[in-house]
Amino acid sequence: MGAHSNIESQLKMTRTVVESRTKTAIIGFDQPFCVIGERINPTGRKKLAAELEAGDFSTVEKDALEQVACGATMLDINAGVVYNSNPNPNETEPPLMRQVIELVQGLVDVPLCIDSSVPGALQAGLEVAGGRPLLNSVTGEEDRLDLVLPLVKKYNVPVVAISNDDTGISEDPDVRFAVAKKIVERAADFGIPAHDIVVDPLVMPIGAMATAGLQVFALVRKLREELGVNTTCGASNISFGLPNRHGINAAFLPMAIAAGMTSAIMNPVRPQEMEAIRAANLLTNNDPHGATWIKHNKPPTVEGEAPAGARAGREGRRRRRA
Amino acid sequence: MGAHSNIESQLKMTRTVVESRTKTAIIGFDQPFCVIGERINPTGRKKLAAELEAGDFSTVEKDALEQVACGATMLDINAGVVYNSNPNPNETEPPLMRQVIELVQGLVDVPLCIDSSVPGALQAGLEVAGGRPLLNSVTGEEDRLDLVLPLVKKYNVPVVAISNDDTGISEDPDVRFAVAKKIVERAADFGIPAHDIVVDPLVMPIGAMATAGLQVFALVRKLREELGVNTTCGASNISFGLPNRHGINAAFLPMAIAAGMTSAIMNPVRPQEMEAIRAANLLTNNDPHGATWIKHNKPPTVEGEAPAGARAGREGRRRRRA
């Protein structure tokens, strides 16, 4: 189809290249969905925060290894802990960011996503991260644009652009699109190309806003077609407050991928969501010869067990038919 | 957004009304996805075919009750059995179609879909089915158009239009769109409105054609935007020949729904696919207040068990984290 061919020609242009010291990953419309592991983040994880304050990095190590083993393309690193001993994140977060990044890139070889709202922590992360990390994030707020875009330019890294501005997060998707457009244009003034901007259109909880899904799907399509940018989101936000969140997330991700979403910051340790993403990669022709799907869903061997996906399917059938 | 508002205004126009004697269901962009239960069909079911030849309707009864209990919106009725005693379907299928429809509409109250390639069986079904059944199907083949469209007009029923013609099934989605357009135009000549045509764009197996998913998503969008028609498909065809078919189907359905697909002929007894559809209904704002989602995913009570969906989610977590 005509429209489809036009999109085909754009596919190759929107490639966000991220790198560790030894490994390259590409975020793009013609790539498998980029799963950015969200676990290394003390926000809302009191136990992890206390461990970090005590200099215990065992959970960080476990989370790094486990997320990569489960298929994360990249790992998000957030060191936004508020110490009991020092409540000033401008003092505590930069050295902790440095420490965690050095630890994680010694353990795993995937590219990293440096996640902070503290400019000094972004800077510290950029100084120690090997390769070409993704910076997370800039917003449409004037002071953030002024602080973060020079770092993006100086270190020649891609950046997550969150579509809120000084007026807050708009419930109107037109406003969120306009904020994203402003960030892309402002970045262009710095010589930063659109393919190095990964827009987060902001996912609202469907339980609070019934049109949240339709909004995101329409926004992602528009961001892709009109701005030519990759997109990301905090995927699990969609199901906040509702029962069986994994079931909602596991439908939301393929739908967002069908609309053109190319990455998500999410928990890769969840098998239901990861299976949905592998299926969506297959269905968008981003799993050549179905190799990854088949590898994860091998039929059971005589002595072995069925893989997780196949087993879940058969259990489902037995349960219903019993 | 502008484009979104235009679509909003079309939503109400594309409503395909189907009825049993006592119940109405609507297929439409602003409706929950229409699940057409596929089980009552002896094709490829030797045991069922033999039972029907022997006058045993117990499997039909069980399939009717079970599919409705699992959430089917409609039931497809296919009586395409080839008897050992009489291999001529023009003689055997019409009376069997009549018999099965009378049986099923005595048991359950959902609207029916009369499914045959034998014109006499379509006619027989139309004579006995109460309400406003869906006729399945017409194609772009000249003799089928000449035979089926007059029945559609005479009985004032909606019809499934399969996008193949005298040249067969094209692998080119542009050709399949053109065939669908021809059927819609030919129907208009009979005074049959586009909202009474439910187009099946034909789903190819992804294992045989890597672009099969992208083709369907683009075709469904185009059929919706340019012809304003509802769509259906044999959903499980997408996963033919691959392992863990339910995992593929459960991602395909939400993706197709995100593209605008409004119904599918499928097995409603599969919990994984049905959960994905309920989530997609929620995410497309077709589950007011999330009532259906919440009903199916109630938290566990003290003495009771968790519902299927919630249990699967927790098992998944335990398995991975063990």
Side-chain angles (χ1 to χ4, degrees), chain A residues 1-314:
Chain A
M1 277 167 285
H4 197 229
S5 303
N6 288 344
I7 292 170
E8 288 283 351
S9 67
Q10 282 181 23
L11 292 184
K12 314 246 181 271
M13 297 171 61
T14 306
R15 285 184 165 166
T16 307
V17 176
V18 289
E19 294 174 337
S20 66
R21 283 180 184 139
T22 58
K23 207 166 181 175
T24 299
I26 298 171
I27 306 172
F29 306 133
D30 59 345
Q31 301 291 322
F33 193 68
C34 176
V35 174
I36 306 172
E38 71 181 5
R39 297 281 299 160
I40 302 177
N41 186 340
T43 313
R45 296 181 75 188
K46 279 192 184 170
K47 185 168 165 283
L48 175 57
E51 282 175 17
L52 293 173
E53 182 164 9
D56 172 5
F57 290 86
S58 56
T59 299
V60 171
E61 290 181 12
K62 179 176 163 294
D63 282 342
L65 293 168
E66 190 175 38
Q67 290 184 100
V68 172
C70 289
T73 321
M74 304 179 65
L75 294 186
D76 188 83
I77 309 289
N78 183 307
V81 64
V82 179
Y83 289 157
N84 291 316
S85 54
N86 182 348
N88 183 354
N90 291 307
E91 291 175 9
T92 58
E93 204 175 318
L96 182 63
M97 176 65 88
R98 197 183 302 265
Q99 215 173 348
V100 173
I101 287 181
E102 286 179 335
L103 174 72
V104 171
Q105 68 186 359
L107 274 177
V108 295
D109 63 357
V110 299
L112 303 182
C113 178
I114 302 170
D115 180 5
S116 180
S117 54
V118 173
L122 293 177
Q123 168 87 42
L126 287 165
E127 285 167 7
V128 295
R132 192 169 198 254
L134 177 61
L135 207 61
N136 184 8
S137 57
V138 69
T139 67
E141 296 162 289
E142 288 300 324
D143 65 329
R144 304 298 302 176
L145 290 163
D146 291 343
L147 282 166
V148 179
L149 290 182
L151 285 178
V152 171
K153 179 63 182 171
K154 177 179 173 192
Y155 286 90
N156 181 28
V157 290
V159 66
V160 173
I162 303 184
S163 50
N164 67 296
D165 65 8
D166 294 287
T167 65
I169 298 176
S170 174
E171 292 199 355
D172 179 347
D174 283 340
V175 173
R176 301 213 298 282
F177 179 82
V179 172
K181 192 156 182 273
K182 178 179 90 167
I183 301 173
V184 169
E185 287 166 354
R186 195 69 69 87
D189 294 342
F190 281 83
I192 301 162
H195 66 243
D196 273 340
I197 315 280
V198 180
V199 172
D200 181 342
L202 288 165
V203 171
M204 312 289 183
I206 192 90
M209 185 193 284
T211 56
L214 292 175
Q215 274 196 3
V216 171
F217 307 145
L219 256 175
V220 165
R221 183 169 298 276
K222 193 167 167 171
L223 287 164
R224 172 178 174 154
E225 289 177 359
E226 296 184 23
L227 299 187
V229 291
N230 281 307
T231 44
T232 196
C233 69
S236 65
N237 206 35
I238 193 74
S239 59
F240 180 80
L242 287 170
N244 187 12
R245 294 187 63 175
H246 302 303
I248 298 171
N249 300 345
F252 172 73
L253 284 160
M255 295 173 91
I257 292 170
M261 182 92 77
T262 46
S263 71
I265 300 172
M266 54 175 282
N267 187 350
V269 178
R270 303 294 186 194
Q272 192 174 357
E273 283 91 326
M274 291 300 277
E275 174 170 302
I277 288 172
R278 284 191 296 270
N281 285 337
L282 175 69
L283 291 164
T284 50
N285 195 17
N286 287 322
D287 179 6
H289 311 294
T292 303
W293 181 262
I294 290 167
K295 189 181 79 184
H296 278 84
N297 294 284
K298 280 179 195 145
T301 55
V302 176
E303 305 203 19
E305 273 215 337
R311 192 163 61 227
R314 287 211 315 285

Side-chain angles (χ1 to χ4, degrees), chain A residues 1 39 174 210 213-214 218 221 243-244 247-248 251 254-255 270 272 275 279 283-285 293 297 311 317 319, chain B residues 1 174 210 213-214 218 221 243-244 247-248 251 254-255 270 272 275 279 283-285 293 297 311 317 319 321:
Chain A
M1 277 167 285
R39 297 281 299 160
D174 283 340
L214 292 175
R221 183 169 298 276
N244 187 12
I248 298 171
M255 295 173 91
R270 303 294 186 194
Q272 192 174 357
E275 174 170 302
L283 291 164
T284 50
N285 195 17
W293 181 262
N297 294 284
R311 192 163 61 227
R317 176 175 7 179
R319 190 160 57 220
Chain B
M1 279 168 284
D174 283 339
L214 293 175
R221 185 169 294 277
N244 186 13
I248 299 172
M255 294 172 92
R270 302 295 186 194
Q272 194 174 357
E275 173 169 303
L283 292 164
T284 51
N285 196 16
W293 181 262
N297 294 283
R311 193 162 62 227
R317 171 168 18 170
R319 191 159 60 220
R321 290 198 167 258

